[in-house]
Amino acid sequence: FIMNNKYQNILIIKLGALGDFILCTGPFKAIREYHKNSKITLLTTPTFAPMAKKTGWFDQIHIDTKPKVFNFREWLKLRKFFNDTCWSRIYDLQHNDRTSIYFKFLNKPKPEWSGIEKNCSHLHNNPERDKLHTIERQIEQLQITGINNIPETDISWLKGDIRAFNIPKKYALIVPGGAFHRKNKRWPEREYIKLSQYLLKKNIIPILIGTKTEHDVTKKISKASEKIINLNNRTSLDQIASLGRNATISIGNDTGPMHILAATGSPTLVIFSGESKPSETAPRGVRTDIIQSLDIKNLFFENILGNIEKLLV
């Protein structure tokens, strides 16, 4: 392995998804602080490049198009990227089959590598690592490299102009959608309607957010009352963060935007189905509560009312 105490060229690999990217902001910041005088490059996907630039933690963003198996031209470009720079250390915060290939790409002697590759210089070899929450797993990984001060999730840099939305003073952010291909992770629309009616009785205006693939869901819920504000497919991630900072409460399914809302400090309730493991992937925030039901279709509003009341105090 190349050992270079100056660590002039640092590479961080983080490809996705949104929730994982948000949970990585503490480690990103810690690596930047540890390598104050180094050039830090982030290898990420086009989706997260704009967010990464806003953090101010990276000197360069390199795009990984995640080429398919037989796209040899793109694979050769990636191999060239890894070997054209004399990396002092590489932090693999993605650690999957794809990044294992990247490790193999590296010419010998290989630079320092923090990750789970068997022959890497800074091996995170805890056999229970996959049972840890992402945050604790990252803390352990970085401690092996000498980084001991990992801050909390930090999205203070994520801000958007929300003046055009004409937001009321007291409002709740409702995130009733989620990944299109994993609809079993979604709490039923009928229960979101009950939730919205409860909030309206408390003079808290429900604001629905989501993507264009969740249009039908938010449309059905918004029909329950003309007072409900439907911002589906109208908010950027920056604007979601700004909305979260002033929200009375945020409630939604296990999906990326909930990580943003929890990180803003908004009182947040995240509803998990049996398809996910909140012990490993749940959003983190100063006032974040988790409720999980193995059969989310039979989780009723009345079952989560106590959690909501505690967050509204």
Side-chain angles (χ1 to χ4, degrees), residues 122-285:
H122 295 76
L123 175 64
H124 185 198
N125 59 356
N126 180 354
E128 300 293 311
R129 65 181 305 281
D130 289 337
K131 295 180 182 178
L132 298 174
H133 187 276
T134 299
I135 296 288
E136 280 69 50
R137 190 168 66 243
Q138 291 169 344
I139 288 172
E140 276 196 3
Q141 178 180 345
L142 294 186
Q143 283 175 339
I144 293 167
T145 70
I147 302 177
N148 294 305
N149 298 311
I150 293 88
E152 299 291 327
T153 301
D154 180 1
I155 61 165
S156 57
W157 43 271
L158 193 60
K159 300 173 183 176
D161 190 345
I162 57 175
R163 288 173 294 182
F165 295 143
N166 194 24
I167 300 300
K169 187 174 181 180
K170 289 184 71 176
Y171 62 91
L173 293 173
I174 309 297
V175 186
F180 185 77
H181 62 287
R182 299 188 69 183
K183 291 188 177 180
N184 288 336
K185 293 174 68 176
R186 297 185 184 185
W187 198 40
E189 295 153 16
R190 67 175 188 271
E191 303 306 322
Y192 275 112
I193 290 172
K194 286 193 233 176
L195 166 63
S196 298
Q197 291 168 338
Y198 164 83
L199 292 168
L200 286 169
K201 288 178 183 177
K202 288 189 162 290
N203 296 313
I204 301 170
I205 304 300
I207 298 178
L208 307 176
I209 58 176
T211 65
K212 60 184 178 181
T213 62
E214 293 141 13
H215 171 75
D216 290 347
V217 177
T218 55
K219 186 177 180 181
K220 287 178 185 176
I221 298 168
S222 64
K223 283 182 177 179
S225 171
E226 60 183 16
K227 293 182 179 179
I228 296 173
I229 299 173
N230 189 354
L231 295 183
N232 188 79
N233 204 34
R234 292 175 58 194
T235 53
S236 65
L237 297 180
D238 306 38
Q239 291 169 322
I240 289 172
S242 291
L243 286 167
R245 290 187 180 99
N246 295 309
T248 303
I249 192 170
S250 300
I251 304 171
N253 302 328
D254 167 30
T255 186
M258 295 306 294
H259 284 267
I260 293 176
L261 296 174
T264 66
S266 168
T268 301
L269 178 62
V270 190
I271 304 168
F272 275 78
S273 72
E275 293 197 5
S276 302
K277 295 181 179 179
S279 61
E280 299 172 14
T281 62
R284 288 286 179 91

Side-chain angles (χ1 to χ4, degrees), residues 2-10 32 34-39 87-89 112:
I2 298 172
M3 296 298 179
N4 183 345
N5 291 329
K6 293 183 180 178
Y7 298 124
Q8 293 180 348
N9 280 304
I10 304 299
R32 174 76 274 176
Y34 188 74
H35 299 288
K36 286 181 180 178
N37 301 315
S38 300
K39 179 182 178 181
W87 303 108
S88 304
R89 182 180 286 178
E112 293 186 356

